[in-house]
């Protein structure tokens, strides 16, 4: 695997190979391999990020690599430099991989066609977020041992979510049943053709779920009136303390972050015993180490 541009089309054995590799990078695992000692990984983030950028930074450093952290602020993009010129100039400094987040769907794919180093998609528009899906699957696998026969309920702004798309392909390939739930205005067409079950009734779907993945309501991408109000959204689709009580015994709560507390998740649920949100963040470093190893080997 030279690039990681998306999860769509991956086979189960390919996904499991990366997840198996990530296990060795958990705290307490074998000593760091330092396979990237003396090399550089470039983080090109055209959008803001906390978890993804930080964990890719930590992952690269853990493998012995130097890290170039680039952002549009203070760069020549303000003078009209194009995406490809930026990527080519960064590549000319010698990184073995470019980790890239961009507001436009397909931007990492474009860059991958014009550079020689590995390109890793850290989120492109509303298209995909493959490393997030891998760390989510890894977190569930660590808890359950496997995903066969499990039901994962993805709730919220499916329309604008790159996380939902990558998770749908990833979780289905690993044997899970995937149910997506949200307002009709935030549900893109064609989800059933991709293998998802679609519902608009959270209360009916909740008791079936082994894990509930709440998504951030992406208000910044909503140029039209997708919702009557955020209060109405929370009433119908928020994971409240009362709804948590109707979940299966042992069912897990997930969120890719950042959380709009009180909107998608009640604070008591986000910080409660069911929550694996901070495990997702921690596991992200191990999974992204494995991704960097695979893409640069």
């Amino acid at each position: 695997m030279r690039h990681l541009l998306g999860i769509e089309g991956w086979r189960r054995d390919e996904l499991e190979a990366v997840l198996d590799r990530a296990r060795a990078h958990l705290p307490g695992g074998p000593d760091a391999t330092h396979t990237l000692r003396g090399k550089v990984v470039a983080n090109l983030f055209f959008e803001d990020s906390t978890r993804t950028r930080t964990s890719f930074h930590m992952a690269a450093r853990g493998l012995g690599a130097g890290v170039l952290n680039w952002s549009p602020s203070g760069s020549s993009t303000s003078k009209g430099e194009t995406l490809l010129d930026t990527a080519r100039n960064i590549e000319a400094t010698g990184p073995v991989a470019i980790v890239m987040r961009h507001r436009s769907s397909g931007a990492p794919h474009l860059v991958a066609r014009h550079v020689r180093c590995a390109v890793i998609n850290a989120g492109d528009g509303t298209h995909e977020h493959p490393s997030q899906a891998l760390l989510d699957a890894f977190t569930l696998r660590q808890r359950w041992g496997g995903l066969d026969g499990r039901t994962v309920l993805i709730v919220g702004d499916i329309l604008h979510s790159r996380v939902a798309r990558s998770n749908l392909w990833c979780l289905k390939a690993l044997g899970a049943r995937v149910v997506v739930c949200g307002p009709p205005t935030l549900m893109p067409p064609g989800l059933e053709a991709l293998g998802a079950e679609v519902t608009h009734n959270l209360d009916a779907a909740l008791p079936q779920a082994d894990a509930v993945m709440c998504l951030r309501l992406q208000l910044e991408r909503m140029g039209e009136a997708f919702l009557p109000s955020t209060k109405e959204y929370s009433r119908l689709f928020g994971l409240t303390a009362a709804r948590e009580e109707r979940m299966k015994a042992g069912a897990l709560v997930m969120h890719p972050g950042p959380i709009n507390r009180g909107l998608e998740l009640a604070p008591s649920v986000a910080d409660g015993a069911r929550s694996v949100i901070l495990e997702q963040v921690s596991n992200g470093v191990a999974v992204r180490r494995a991704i960097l190893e695979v893409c640069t080997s």
Side-chain angles (χ1 to χ4, degrees):
M1 185 176 73
R2 182 184 174 205
H3 305 299
L4 175 59
L5 301 177
I7 295 295
E8 184 180 10
W10 276 50
R11 301 190 312 267
R12 178 170 182 157
D13 62 313
E14 294 171 326
L15 294 168
E16 289 179 337
V18 176
L19 300 181
D20 289 342
R21 191 166 192 153
R23 192 178 296 117
H25 290 293
L26 288 172
D31 291 338
T33 58
H34 294 127
T35 51
L36 297 185
R37 185 185 296 279
K39 299 179 180 179
V40 173
V41 172
N43 286 334
L44 270 66
F45 277 65
F46 291 82
E47 287 186 317
D48 293 338
S49 170
T50 299
R51 283 151 298 278
T52 303
R53 183 170 186 160
T54 300
S55 63
F56 266 116
H57 182 107
M58 296 294 291
R61 292 298 299 270
L63 294 173
V67 181
L68 168 64
N69 284 316
W70 180 96
S71 64
S73 176
S75 76
S76 292
T77 57
S78 63
K79 303 176 182 178
E81 185 173 77
T82 67
L83 168 62
L84 285 181
D85 281 339
T86 297
R88 286 167 170 157
N89 276 284
I90 294 297
E91 184 200 18
T93 67
V96 292
I98 291 175
V99 179
M100 180 178 169
R101 171 170 290 189
H102 201 279
R103 67 184 65 86
S104 298
S105 300
H109 301 68
L110 174 64
V111 169
R113 292 196 295 269
H114 292 87
V115 298
R116 294 178 297 277
C117 65
V119 176
I120 298 168
N121 181 2
D124 63 324
T126 60
H127 178 229
E128 279 218 50
H129 194 347
S131 65
Q132 181 69 44
L134 287 166
L135 75 87
D136 291 340
F138 183 84
T139 301
L140 295 176
R141 204 166 174 240
Q142 287 295 103
R143 283 292 189 120
W144 297 337
L147 276 71
D148 288 303
R150 298 286 189 169
T151 296
V152 180
L153 175 62
I154 304 177
V155 182
D157 185 359
I158 310 296
L159 180 65
H160 299 104
S161 178
R162 53 197 175 207
V163 172
R165 285 166 178 78
S166 289
N167 262 295
L168 173 56
W169 285 308
C170 186
L171 296 171
K172 287 289 293 182
L174 292 170
R177 172 191 175 211
V178 180
V179 181
V180 295
C181 178
T185 53
L186 294 178
M187 200 73 68
L191 288 169
E192 293 93 340
L194 300 178
E197 299 176 36
V198 177
T199 180
H200 307 298
N201 189 333
L202 176 58
D203 292 309
L206 202 57
Q208 308 171 35
D210 297 293
V212 180
M213 182 184 298
C214 296
L215 301 174
R216 183 174 69 86
L217 198 59
Q218 299 188 40
L219 299 172
E220 75 279 4
R221 297 186 191 273
M222 297 184 190
E224 303 172 26
F226 286 91
L227 300 168
S229 68
T230 54
K231 183 177 180 180
E232 179 73 359
Y233 175 88
S234 182
R235 185 180 71 82
L236 294 174
F237 299 101
L239 190 52
T240 61
R243 284 195 169 107
E244 182 189 20
E245 292 179 1
R246 298 197 290 274
M247 292 174 64
K248 274 185 180 181
L252 305 174
V253 173
M254 312 179 78
H255 197 296
I259 304 169
N260 291 312
R261 288 174 175 262
L263 179 55
E264 302 125 13
L265 279 172
S268 62
V269 179
D271 301 325
R274 295 181 182 273
S275 175
V276 294
I277 294 171
L278 293 182
E279 287 181 39
Q280 292 173 263
V281 177
S282 178
N283 289 336
V285 177
V287 170
R288 285 163 175 144
R289 280 191 187 181
I291 290 168
L292 286 169
E293 282 188 328
V294 170
C295 288
T296 58
S297 61

